[in-house]
């Protein structure tokens, strides 16, 4: 009977109960009906224990660092740098928008922050230069999903914590897919610019201009180096690296660029605190939910059902990608990972998909969902920043979504794309004597 | 309806300043969390003497950040939900559904308060934290370990404040159903927040 908590949870979710309450109400009601009242106390304890986590602290810290960088005018410098690098390409400002998102991704890890920071600056600029507003908003929304793919990434920290994976391995596995999405979007922009009526490109920046823009962007661009260098060098844990990123962002914004004052600090800290509180409660509730998932044997039942559809992991991966894509249309990436990770990951790991590979496929797929209608979070942010209707942006974003879907399939069926960097840096645990392929794509676990 | 409006205004008058204090505490704790972790890095790599209390202190503060900031996020509509069905329904049915969901959330929170109180005052709360200590005299000569219940109280405070906010939201939903939304005090900002 306990297994009925899953449909009940889905029902609560569909009718609009906040995810936090749904994660607790559905298992709580079923435990109560099952006469297991004492286990409801266990739910509460697991919420608390789930929140009491040092690795999770990295989420508010990375958000804080990104917010400080943004307040400190660092976004502007990234845009100027991108302008000097790719402003002369076909579809100039659109290319600048995409490259800026890739660079911003290395600082913040949040698609929403990316859309609001870059959108408020670049959408009016693109419109002024002759781009249609809906196109400018669509490019901003589509490229912002790179934020949580290229490290640091809030949703990857959540995945790593909920599923007990290495944050460093997930961060590393996200680099190539993130760059791939960026390059793909740039290629589509180039194609659209060639065949559309976009304004002429700007003249190529001189070496002097490039040098000046690089100098101005030097300190902000050092942030991902500090974060990843600290983690990969074994010098710092991801949480420590995130705190170091906050300190660095503060020093750059307040003392080097002098573009943020002490007065701005409380607001920046409050934003991070509010985000932290919601994410922590959500993760805590997810850990409680996960306990009931295990108690109910729901994953086993679901696995049996999924395996009746096909035994071929490739077919199942296709089906799961479709499922994740549909889920991503309605639910934000964080809660979706929290809910589906503990249910789906064990099934695919037993089929021979590496845990880190599955984590990346799931994270990228659900992140792309942030830009898909009807409930894509960044579509709404892009709409509020640009003043364009959500449905208009949703239509304009379709060519970019096609590229992102193609990347999802590439990383699904070619684990080498995401797994090589963590393998090269020794962040994938391999059995002794295992070859590269055996390491990144292990044998299925006999059932 | 006047009674509902009066109660909604009274709860708003209570919640607004209380949650503002919570936000102030959250701001200070966030700053302290960063400082404590930076101290951890500094002592380990520069001084060569790792501090044993920093990680626990930062977790202590993070739990309290969640406890005092979450009610504000909840009051401002910052909890992630799929509100598509509610928006698609006829106004009156949508409002009734919203009310039902708020009551369901209230049940979760009240059960949370009950269990939370039992946890904080019960067996688990009697243990001490591993490394956190506080002085018992002004001369800082005697130090005692911080009870775990101080840490556990963060979630209790959070769910209690959210339950009070929830009651305010229920009253607001009833007033809105009766077409008296304009007579309610305005709640600033309304955006969901998350790790995306």
């Amino acid at each position: 009977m306990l297994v009925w908590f899953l449909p009940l949870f889905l029902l609560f979710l569909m009718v609009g109960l906040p995810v936090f309450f749904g994660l607790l109400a559905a298992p709580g009601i079923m435990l109560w009906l099952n006469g297991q009242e004492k286990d409801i106390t266990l739910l509460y304890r697991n919420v608390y224990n789930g929140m009491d986590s040092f690795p999770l602290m990295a989420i508010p810290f990375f958000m804080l660092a990104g917010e400080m960088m943004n307040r400190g005018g660092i976004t502007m410098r990234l845009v100027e740098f991108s302008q000097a690098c790719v402003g002369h390409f076909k579809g100039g400002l659109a290319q600048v928008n995409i490259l800026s998102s890739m660079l911003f991704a290395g600082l913040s890890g949040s698609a929403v922050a990316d859309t609001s920071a870059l959108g408020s600056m670049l959408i009016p600029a693109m419109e002024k230069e002759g781009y249609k507003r809906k196109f400018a908003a669509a490019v901003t929304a589509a490229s912002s999903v790179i934020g949580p793919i290229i490290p640091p990434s809030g949703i990857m920290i959540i995945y790593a914590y909920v599923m007990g994976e290495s944050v460093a391995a997930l961060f590393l596995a996200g680099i190539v897919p993130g760059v791939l999405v960026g390059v793909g979007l740039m290629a589509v922009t180039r194609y659209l610019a060639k065949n559309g009526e976009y304004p002429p490109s700007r003249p190529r920046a001189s070496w002097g201009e490039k040098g000046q823009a690089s100098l101005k962007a030097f300190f902000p661009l050092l942030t991902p180096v500090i974060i990843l260098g600290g983690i990969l060098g074994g010098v710092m844990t991801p949480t420590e690296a995130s705190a170091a990123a906050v300190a660095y962002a503060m020093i750059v914004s307040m003392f080097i660029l002098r573009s943020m004052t002490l007065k701005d600090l409380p607001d920046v800290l409050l934003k991070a605190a509010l985000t932290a509180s919601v994410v922590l409660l959500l993760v805590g509730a997810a850990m409680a939910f996960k306990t009931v998932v295990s108690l109910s044997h729901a994953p086993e039942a679901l696995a049996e059902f999924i395996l009746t559809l096909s035994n071929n992991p490739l077919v199942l991966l296709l089906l799961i990608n479709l499922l994740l894509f549909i889920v991503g249309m309605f639910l934000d990436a964080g809660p979706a990972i929290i809910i589906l990770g503990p249910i789906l990951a064990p099934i695919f790991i037993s089929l021979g998909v590496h845990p880190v590979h599955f984590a990346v496929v799931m994270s990228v797929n659900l992140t792309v969902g942030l830009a898909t209608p009807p409930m894509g979070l960044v579509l709404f942010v892009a709409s509020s920043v640009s003043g364009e209707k959500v449905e208009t942006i949703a239509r304009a974003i379709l060519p970019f979504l096609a590229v992102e879907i193609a990347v999802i399939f590439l990383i699904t069926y070619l684990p080498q794309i995401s797994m090589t960097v963590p393998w090269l840096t020794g962040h994938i645990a391999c059995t002794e004597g295992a070859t590269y392929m055996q390491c990144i794509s292990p044998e299925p676990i006999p059932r | 309806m006047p009674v509902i409006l009066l109660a909604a205004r009274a709860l708003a008058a209570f919640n607004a300043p209380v949650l503002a204090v919570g936000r102030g505490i959250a701001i200070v704790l966030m700053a302290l969390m960063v400082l404590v972790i930076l101290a951890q890095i500094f002592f380990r790599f520069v001084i060569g003497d790792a501090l044993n209390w920093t990680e626990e202190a930062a977790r202590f503060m993070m739990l309290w950040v969640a406890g005092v900031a979450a009610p504000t996020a909840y009051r401002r509509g910052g909890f992630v939900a799929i509100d598509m069905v509610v928006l698609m329904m006829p106004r009156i049915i949508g409002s009734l559904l919203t009310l039902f969901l708020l009551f369901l959330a209230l049940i979760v929170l009240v059960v949370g308060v009950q269990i939370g109180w039992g946890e904080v005052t019960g067996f688990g709360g009697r243990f001490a934290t591993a490394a956190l200590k506080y002085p018992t005299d002004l001369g800082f000569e005697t130090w005692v370990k911080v009870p775990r219940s101080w840490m556990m109280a963060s979630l209790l405070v959070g769910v209690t404040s959210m339950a009070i906010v929830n009651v305010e939201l229920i009253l607001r939903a009833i007033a809105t159903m009766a077409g008296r939304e304009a007579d309610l005090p305005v709640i600033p900002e309304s955006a969901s927040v998350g790790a995306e």
Side-chain angles (χ1 to χ4, degrees):
Chain A
M1 184 177 174
L2 196 56
V3 83
W4 285 100
F5 82 93
L6 268 180
L8 186 64
F9 168 68
L10 287 177
L11 178 74
F12 283 158
L13 215 59
M14 292 309 292
V15 296
L17 187 68
V19 180
F20 168 73
F21 294 112
L23 285 168
L24 298 174
I29 290 171
M30 292 322 289
L31 285 170
W32 179 63
L33 289 176
N34 227 20
Q36 292 172 265
E37 286 93 349
K38 279 188 180 166
D39 287 335
I40 298 176
T41 306
L42 201 69
L43 275 183
Y44 179 93
R45 276 183 200 153
N46 283 337
V47 174
Y48 174 80
N49 292 331
M51 289 166 66
D52 186 10
S53 149
F54 188 64
L56 274 184
M57 213 176 285
I59 295 175
F61 284 174
F62 279 132
M63 294 244 160
L64 195 55
E67 188 63 26
M68 280 181 179
M69 292 271 183
N70 196 22
R71 293 277 175 114
I74 286 166
T75 315
M76 183 70 175
R77 285 161 192 260
L78 293 182
V79 171
E80 284 171 3
F81 176 73
S82 305
Q83 176 80 51
C85 293
V86 298
H88 60 283
F89 283 13
K90 286 199 189 314
L93 263 187
Q95 306 281 18
V96 169
N97 196 330
I98 297 164
L99 182 61
S100 301
S101 282
M102 290 166 77
L103 299 174
F104 194 85
L107 312 178
S108 134
S110 156
V112 173
D114 180 306
T115 312
S116 70
L118 289 171
S120 54
M121 191 182 299
L122 282 171
I123 294 172
M126 286 176 76
E127 215 182 345
K128 207 170 155 190
E129 204 157 284
Y131 290 86
K132 285 180 184 150
R133 196 198 295 175
K134 62 178 179 183
F135 175 77
V139 171
T140 307
S143 60
S144 71
V145 302
I146 301 169
I149 303 174
I150 289 180
S153 161
I155 61 165
M156 285 195 184
I157 295 169
I158 292 179
Y159 188 101
Y161 176 60
V162 174
M163 297 305 299
E165 296 298 334
S166 148
V167 174
L170 294 199
F171 274 10
L172 289 166
I175 295 174
V176 179
V179 173
L180 212 56
V181 171
V183 172
L185 292 178
M186 289 175 106
V188 171
T189 304
R190 189 185 156 85
Y191 174 79
L192 292 174
K194 234 177 166 180
N195 298 289
E197 296 166 0
Y198 295 133
S201 313
R202 291 182 174 191
R204 186 187 284 268
S206 67
W207 282 108
E209 286 168 331
K210 278 183 188 166
Q212 211 172 11
S214 304
L215 264 181
K216 281 172 95 175
F218 175 75
F219 287 111
L221 289 177
L222 217 55
T223 316
V225 179
I226 292 173
I227 296 169
L228 279 183
I231 298 171
L232 298 184
V235 182
M236 290 183 266
T237 63
T239 306
E240 289 172 342
S242 64
V246 173
Y248 180 73
M250 196 168 148
I251 291 167
V252 171
S253 303
M254 289 178 80
F255 303 110
I256 299 178
L257 306 178
R258 293 174 190 273
S259 42
M260 194 178 90
T261 62
L262 267 179
K263 261 189 191 170
D264 298 319
L265 264 186
D267 195 35
V268 171
L269 287 164
L270 179 62
K271 250 187 157 174
L274 289 175
T275 306
S277 66
V278 174
V279 172
L280 279 172
L281 282 180
L282 212 52
V283 173
M287 297 309 268
F289 187 80
K290 200 178 150 186
T291 317
V292 186
V293 167
S294 314
L295 280 176
S296 68
H297 301 288
E300 288 90 332
L302 203 65
E304 297 234 334
F305 168 70
I306 287 176
L307 290 172
T308 57
L309 301 173
S310 171
N311 264 330
N312 185 339
L314 300 180
V315 176
L316 291 178
L317 277 170
L318 172 75
L319 294 176
I320 223 62
N321 267 319
L322 287 174
L323 171 77
L324 291 174
F325 197 74
I326 294 165
V327 168
M329 287 175 167
F330 298 94
L331 200 58
D332 296 342
I337 279 175
I338 283 170
I339 297 161
L340 293 175
I343 298 172
L344 297 178
I347 300 170
F348 283 86
I349 292 165
S350 72
L351 285 169
V353 179
H354 196 285
V356 173
H357 180 211
F358 186 75
V360 172
V361 171
M362 192 169 181
S363 302
V364 175
N365 193 322
L366 290 169
T367 304
V368 170
L370 293 172
T372 54
M375 301 296 286
L377 189 60
V378 295
L379 284 182
F380 286 94
V381 180
S383 165
S384 83
V385 171
S386 65
E388 194 65 81
K389 281 183 179 169
V390 171
E391 47 269 38
T392 314
I393 304 172
R395 272 195 295 275
I397 208 172
L398 288 176
F400 300 109
L401 276 183
V403 170
E404 288 168 353
I405 292 168
V407 172
I408 292 172
F409 280 103
L410 277 177
I411 60 167
T412 301
Y413 292 115
L414 294 171
Q416 295 90 332
I417 293 174
S418 53
M419 300 293 282
T420 303
V421 177
W423 180 77
L424 282 173
T425 48
H427 281 82
I428 302 276
C430 296
T431 47
E432 220 179 297
T435 63
Y436 165 68
M437 277 316 287
Q438 284 168 335
C439 202
I440 66 165
S441 190
E443 286 293 309
I445 300 165
R447 294 176 67 80
Chain B
M1 193 44 61
V3 179
I4 298 281
L5 278 174
L6 194 71
R9 284 192 200 121
L11 270 177
F14 173 79
N15 279 333
V18 169
L19 298 191
V21 171
R23 290 195 295 277
I25 295 170
I27 289 170
V28 174
L29 291 178
M30 272 302 292
L32 285 176
M33 268 162 65
V34 178
L35 288 176
V36 162
I37 299 301
L38 290 176
Q40 176 172 309
I41 302 169
F42 180 80
F43 272 84
R44 194 165 73 226
F45 292 107
V46 182
I47 311 285
D49 181 19
L51 298 172
N52 67 345
W53 54 268
T54 45
E55 198 173 306
E56 196 171 30
R59 281 194 288 112
F60 187 103
M61 288 186 267
M62 183 175 71
L63 285 167
W64 273 101
V65 165
V68 295
T72 292
Y74 185 45
R75 190 166 183 258
R76 293 179 178 182
F79 275 41
V80 187
I82 303 174
D83 48 9
M84 206 168 61
V85 173
V86 174
L87 294 175
M88 270 165 29
M89 283 179 170
R91 204 183 79 87
I92 191 74
I93 300 177
S95 303
L96 282 171
L97 181 59
T98 304
L99 207 55
F100 166 74
L101 296 176
L102 280 169
F103 272 108
L104 194 59
L106 184 62
I107 294 170
V108 172
L109 290 168
V110 169
V111 172
V113 172
Q114 262 181 346
I115 299 174
W117 179 258
E119 291 289 293
V120 171
T121 55
F123 184 67
R126 286 185 208 147
F127 291 97
T129 51
L132 294 181
K133 288 178 180 173
Y134 68 97
T136 53
D137 59 275
L138 290 172
F140 297 102
E141 279 167 15
T142 324
W143 292 75
V144 176
K145 279 194 173 178
V146 170
R148 227 177 140 245
S149 58
W150 291 14
M151 219 159 159
M152 292 159 73
S154 58
L155 186 56
L156 176 62
V157 168
V159 288
T160 308
S161 312
M162 279 165 66
I164 298 169
V165 166
N166 201 107
V167 175
E168 186 196 345
L169 295 179
I170 287 174
L171 295 171
R172 290 179 70 92
I174 296 170
T176 305
M177 267 172 77
R180 302 292 296 272
E181 198 175 358
D183 297 327
L184 293 167
V186 177
I187 295 178
E189 293 176 43
S190 275
S192 72
V193 285
E196 291 81 11

